[in-house]
Amino acid sequence: MSEWLPLDRIAVHAHVGREVGPGWEHPAFRARVLEWRTAFTEAGGEDWALYFDDALAFAAALFGAWHAGKRVFLCADNLPATRERLAGQVNGFAGDFPDGGLVAAASAGGQDPRPLDEAAARLVVFTSGSTGEPVAIEKRLDQLAREVEALEAAFGADAGTATVHGTVSHQHIYGLLFRVLWPLASGRPIAPRTFFHEDLLAALAGQPSLLVASPAHLKRLPQQLDWNALRGRLRAVFSSGGALAAEAALEARERLGVAPTEIYGSSETGGIAWRRWDSELPPWQALPGVDWRIDDGRLQVRSPHLAQARDWWTSEDQVSAEGGGFRLLGRADRIVKIEERRVSLDALERDIGIHPGVAEARVCVLPGARDALVAVVVPNESGWELLRGQGRRAFSQLLSQHLASRHDAVIRPRRWRYATALPVNAQGKVTERALTALFRPERPEPHWRVRESAVAELELDLDADLAVFDGHFPQATILPGVAQLDWAIRFGREVFPMPPRFLRMEALKFQRVARPGDRIRLHLQWAAEKATLAFQYTSAHGPHASGRVVFGAQTES
């Protein structure tokens, strides 16, 4: 491993022989940083949003922006909605955006850079929290630098000279620290792209490697792959972004040949503690430089990773001390009131999870005139057999009866949904918004009957829980016409290469209303030469609606 290089000096001098990524030595990386510095300096403005698929390209732009005195906003993705949301907060965009962004200058200009001011170089990250609403959090370089130093102190000896691979994005704080900043400082090569199972196995087997993953990825390691090929090559495996279940951790240890190291923290706090799954239920140990204590059952932390390093920060996590570390007991903010009864969502999830047909469960509150508890369950193999054999209603009753010995009817889930996996965002987190969306979906699940180059056909069951039925109409609920048009376009985009811009409607007819409980069939026909999508809704009751939608890359003159 190369000599340690502080983050504020990453681009100050060229370090010949220091590898930044496969085939990319430090002098070339530094030159790219300086080209980005020139581009950002010439562009003006203080705040810039960055998004790059390639982690090395991202790193060069990040340090180029910092050396140009910019504050960097980290985009979770490059979707149009994300760009629109940030447009009022930043002066511009750089990187891989569909409609363009700032690019590096053709050549570097200006004087050689001085070390960065750790207190002045800043980054804005977004965390989804539990609700799914993005929350902006500003981080200074000194916070990031101290955390990178803590990671090296805790895990550097195990990581050795391994190349750093990841299944998580560097556009979030966990991936940024583990896949970009820590390797840059320690001299470990960075694999530039995000890998998934089949190509990940081939990449990891080539040289000593370090894997930065999430619980969602570790619990879905395909059984059929030859994981034995990694024996002796994989130096360390990290997981963060959510709780790693014991079963998934131990199974990953068996397949990968390395006990996963789990990191506990948040975008706001930075890393707090770690535990390695060498045993079945290891306690959490504080990262170097982090102090902790328990106050009224809750964890309090003092850390150089916090915005105010000398102040104690109180979490919503309930903990107990154990073996020089601590054990997490659940979130204090996951105590809710249902009809004046206090309910622990954590306890309810644990009790559902011990049913022999359940692999995983999450419980949340569905707002309404009367708040109701609802549960999303991932059945195991025997659970799916019960579902297929007895149906959803019977399985839901079975789970409710299972809870009856510990929870009375008032505080048991009233509605259940079953999924092959819990819905996660790009950070591998299960959010309340994603869970509740399963109970109030905008569109029904499509049952495709035909998917061809110019023709498609699908069936849609109109569940009364569909959000599009809200307010249409209280006295006689019907499927609104605007929803039918939206569904035709959205499902059409799943099968046909339709241009991005909607131009106009033609021959639109609404012939018969569709109601909850109906099964409707949607027929789609794509005429590429005219850029026109024809659609028709029918059911056992007869035709419901039809029309044509005309598209174009640009607005017609």
Side-chain angles (χ1 to χ4, degrees), residues 313-330:
W313 176 84
T314 303
S315 79
E316 291 293 334
D317 289 318
Q318 298 175 311
V319 299
S320 63
E322 180 178 328
F326 60 85
R327 190 169 297 284
L328 294 170
L329 304 178

Side-chain angles (χ1 to χ4, degrees), residues 36-89:
W36 273 112
R37 182 188 68 169
T38 299
F40 280 115
T41 300
E42 293 176 351
E46 179 186 5
D47 295 327
W48 283 79
L50 264 59
Y51 181 88
F52 290 83
D53 290 324
D54 185 300
L56 288 169
F58 165 82
L62 173 65
F63 279 88
W66 276 341
H67 277 286
K70 309 303 182 185
R71 182 172 64 162
V72 173
F73 284 63
L74 223 55
C75 294
D77 52 57
N78 61 351
L79 297 175
T82 301
R83 182 161 182 161
E84 183 179 347
R85 177 173 54 82
L86 285 175
Q89 303 179 53

Side-chain angles (χ1 to χ4, degrees), residues 222-234:
Q223 298 182 19
Q224 70 273 18
L225 297 183
D226 181 19
W227 297 106
N228 287 327
L230 300 183
R231 302 289 173 172
R233 295 287 188 179
L234 195 55

Side-chain angles (χ1 to χ4, degrees), residues 116-303:
L116 291 169
D117 182 342
E118 286 191 343
R122 294 168 296 156
L123 178 80
V124 176
V125 298
F126 292 89
T127 177
S128 58
S130 61
T131 65
E133 285 294 336
V135 177
I137 297 173
E138 185 176 87
K139 310 285 286 189
R140 301 185 307 272
L141 181 58
D142 63 307
Q143 294 172 260
L144 301 172
R146 300 297 84 75
E147 185 163 359
V148 164
E149 291 163 3
L151 296 180
E152 181 66 17
F155 312 119
D158 292 332
T161 59
T163 298
V164 181
H165 298 265
T167 63
V168 298
S169 172
H170 54 269
Q171 297 283 150
H172 299 286
I173 188 68
Y174 166 49
L176 170 71
L177 286 162
F178 278 75
R179 289 191 57 209
V180 175
L181 300 184
W182 182 25
L184 281 177
S186 61
R188 296 184 181 92
I190 299 169
R193 57 184 283 253
T194 300
F195 288 94
F196 292 95
H197 296 124
E198 286 77 3
D199 53 353
L200 174 65
L201 183 61
L204 294 178
Q207 68 280 313
S209 300
L210 183 155
L211 176 60
V212 182
S214 73
H217 297 136
L218 291 181
K219 70 183 180 184
R220 294 183 177 88
L221 297 174
Q223 298 182 19
Q224 70 273 18
L225 297 183
D226 181 19
W227 297 106
N228 287 327
L230 300 183
R231 302 289 173 172
R233 295 287 188 179
L234 195 55
R235 300 293 302 269
V237 176
F238 294 95
S239 176
S240 191
L244 180 62
E247 182 180 356
L250 299 176
E251 188 171 304
R253 184 182 73 184
E254 177 65 24
R255 290 189 183 167
L256 300 176
V258 176
T261 298
E262 198 172 359
I263 307 298
Y264 163 64
S266 68
S267 299
E268 181 181 10
T269 65
I272 293 174
W274 64 279
R275 63 178 178 180
R276 183 166 295 144
W277 284 89
D278 293 317
S279 58
E280 290 197 7
L281 283 174
W284 292 96
Q285 307 293 330
L287 284 167
V290 176
D291 297 321
W292 65 275
R293 67 187 184 189
I294 301 174
D295 182 61
D296 193 26
R298 297 188 185 188
L299 180 69
Q300 287 191 329
V301 175
R302 186 170 58 191
S303 163

Side-chain angles (χ1 to χ4, degrees), residues 75 249 271 440 458 474 479:
C75 294
R440 305 294 293 163
L458 59 151
L479 179 65

